[in-house]
Amino acid sequence: VQLQASGGGLVQAGGSLRLSCAPSTNTFTGYVVGWFRQAPGKEREFVAGLRWSGGNTYYPDSMKGRFTISGDGTKNTVYLQMNSLKPEDTGVYYCATRYRGFSSTIDTEERLYRYWGQGTLVTVSS
């Protein structure tokens, strides 16, 4: 599965961005899709996850409230809507996916994801 992430850019603090993630050939049916980010000098961290076939989502407590992950079946695309952005949200955002079949688990550890997109840079200016 090849993933294409897009939508990053430069935004002022308080602004919004919507990131997109789409597979090049497959569909996300049976897959879990996660968004991760890596700030300069920091480890990559989990931002949000979506179980495509059930539509359930998961956010770490630190990400709740400003980030929303969603899927559009007509476009076979997963989105990460980011609102009220802060300078500390700056980083490279990656989407990743793994097949989960009928499992309701949404993985949060990057080592559990098999397929990764190339990353899209988000820069939030103060």
Side-chain angles (χ1 to χ4, degrees):
V1 178
Q2 291 183 325
L3 300 177
Q4 181 68 39
S6 61
L10 174 64
V11 64
Q12 289 187 332
S16 298
L17 281 175
R18 189 179 75 164
L19 307 183
S20 301
C21 177
S24 59
T25 54
N26 303 63
T27 71
F28 281 132
T29 301
Y31 284 76
V32 167
V33 181
W35 281 100
F36 293 79
R37 71 182 184 186
Q38 187 166 21
K42 296 187 178 181
E43 294 185 352
R44 191 151 52 184
E45 62 177 339
F46 177 78
V47 175
L50 168 74
R51 179 172 165 261
W52 181 266
S53 298
N56 49 304
T57 59
Y58 176 78
Y59 307 88
D61 288 343
S62 59
M63 303 298 173
K64 290 180 180 177
R66 300 188 297 118
F67 294 86
T68 303
I69 188 171
S70 62
D72 185 337
T74 64
K75 297 182 179 180
N76 199 36
T77 298
V78 173
Y79 301 102
L80 182 68
Q81 178 67 44
M82 306 185 295
N83 299 325
S84 302
L85 284 164
K86 305 174 182 180
E88 51 264 42
D89 294 317
T90 293
V92 178
Y93 284 69
Y94 300 89
C95 63
T97 192
R98 64 162 294 176
Y99 187 73
R100 267 291 187 181
F102 294 105
S103 172
S104 61
T105 300
I106 296 176
D107 302 286
T108 62
E109 297 179 60
E110 62 174 290
R111 65 180 180 87
L112 298 177
Y113 284 82
R114 181 173 181 180
Y115 306 102
W116 290 79
Q118 82 285 6
T120 184
L121 178 63
V122 172
T123 303
V124 184
S125 63
S126 58

